Amino acid sequence: MIDYISFEEGKHILDTCPGSVLLDVRTEEEYGIEHAAGAVLLPQEDLETMDEGEILDVLPDLDAPVLLYCRTGRRSADAVQKLESLGYTNLRDLGGILSWPYEIEGDFEGHF
């Protein structure tokens, strides 16, 4: 089951839960243009082809809070289902980053 949460709830988890991970499941190109500050990149398309060991290299704690986002919410929902099938227990879907109200990092030059 996908647990959707607000950006405010997600920010609270990131600020108060040691070991929590903000996971961007968009493409490397999208991530390079802009991403939420501190986000880890694991493209959803790569997630579908990686073996369990490779995923554990990126997300070693199956019980850590993992907050996922993409551009609009579709890929993050798919990624939640994939990670749930691998035994991850504390997944939250933030949906799309388009309205992320907190710090953004990236190479914005020439993209807007």
Side-chain angles (χ1 to χ4, degrees), residues 13-97:
I13 291 169
L14 292 168
D15 290 344
T16 61
C17 296
S20 59
V21 177
L22 181 58
L23 190 66
D24 187 324
V25 298
R26 299 173 305 150
T27 66
E28 189 172 336
E29 180 181 29
E30 290 172 298
Y31 180 87
I33 293 170
E34 69 172 350
H35 58 271
V40 174
L41 175 65
L42 180 58
Q44 194 272 331
E45 60 191 26
D46 292 351
L47 184 60
E48 293 301 321
T49 60
M50 295 169 75
D51 67 38
E52 192 172 341
E54 292 171 311
I55 296 168
L56 283 168
D57 286 342
V58 179
L59 300 170
D61 185 349
L62 296 176
D63 298 317
V66 179
L67 289 68
L68 297 90
Y69 73 85
C70 60
R71 183 174 173 272
T72 62
R74 175 70 186 141
R75 289 175 283 182
S76 59
D78 289 344
V80 165
Q81 291 178 339
K82 172 68 175 187
L83 293 172
E84 278 182 337
S85 74
L86 296 173
Y88 288 87
T89 63
N90 201 353
L91 303 168
R92 306 279 186 354
D93 192 340
L94 293 167
I97 190 177

